[in-house]
Amino acid sequence: STETETDPSTFLSDPPEQSFSDVGGMTDLKETLKDQIIDPLERPDLYAEYDLGVVNGVLLHGPPGTGKTYITKGLAGELGYNFVEAQASDITSSLVGEAADNMAELFTVARNNQPCLLFLDEIDAIAAEREGGANKSISEKQMITQFLTEMSETKGEDVVVVGATNLPDEIDGAAWRRFDERIEVPPP
């Protein structure tokens, strides 16, 4: 079998047509997202004046099927941001070093298409706890390190990284701290 090279730009799309008005219910969640993400991005001067930073990382966590992907597309649409969507399986690879490269390429696509929302679904599979290193492959460790580096490098960029998981307890502590906001998405 031959390895097929995936062009990272295939994960990029224009700002989604949908907005929060397309998301039924979830009133509290939409208000939280407006208050904690949209407002700071739309009024950065005000937030800088009060020494409140703009949010670069958001972690949505909740049970499967609660609409984490759908609400994230609505968020990108509300902001009018380009949208990069990737699953953990799109990034992880059996080839050593390739997962870290894939991670770097996704962030590069996001930075080259600002303003951009980068959505990483199943973030727990990308940024799993680094403890118990014996059962972690070199590739997995490199991928987590690359993720942490990329998150640091998006500070000050017009890139918002949204991670989604139904296993928040599995996420590495350093990765957890890279998300300025951690928001629960309850069952509808």
Side-chain angles (χ1 to χ4, degrees), residues 14-178:
D14 290 333
E17 291 290 317
Q18 75 193 55
S19 67
F20 284 167
S21 61
D22 298 310
V23 179
M26 299 182 145
T27 310
D28 292 348
L29 177 61
K30 290 188 278 192
E31 282 304 310
T32 300
L33 293 171
K34 283 179 185 170
D35 292 346
Q36 297 178 353
I37 297 146
I38 296 172
D39 198 43
L41 287 168
E42 290 180 343
R43 303 191 300 166
D45 299 348
L46 177 68
Y47 282 76
E49 189 178 319
Y50 292 99
D51 202 27
L52 297 169
V54 170
V55 173
N56 280 98
V58 181
L59 179 67
L60 298 178
H61 58 93
T66 53
K68 294 180 290 290
T69 301
Y70 196 73
I71 194 83
T72 302
K73 281 185 182 159
L75 176 62
E78 285 285 322
L79 290 166
Y81 276 29
N82 290 315
F83 189 62
V84 174
E85 180 180 5
Q87 306 279 329
S89 57
D90 297 325
I91 299 166
T92 56
S93 169
S94 57
L95 300 175
V96 173
E98 195 168 290
D101 291 345
N102 293 346
M103 180 69 70
E105 287 171 4
L106 273 179
F107 273 87
T108 298
V109 168
R111 280 195 288 272
N112 289 344
N113 292 280
Q114 297 181 45
C116 190
L117 191 153
L118 171 56
F119 178 56
L120 299 171
D121 201 2
E122 300 164 4
I123 189 81
D124 49 278
I126 295 167
E129 193 66 56
R130 286 179 292 186
E131 300 307 312
N135 58 3
K136 281 261 173 251
S137 71
I138 291 170
S139 183
E140 286 175 304
K141 289 177 184 171
Q142 289 172 336
M143 180 176 57
I144 296 168
T145 302
Q146 189 67 45
F147 170 76
L148 296 172
T149 301
E150 297 293 344
M151 285 296 285
S152 296
E153 289 177 3
T154 61
K155 293 286 179 209
E157 301 278 352
D158 211 352
V159 174
V160 177
V161 179
V162 178
T165 181
N166 52 351
L167 301 168
D169 298 340
E170 305 278 315
I171 296 176
D172 177 73
W176 180 264
R177 289 186 295 278
R178 289 301 196 282

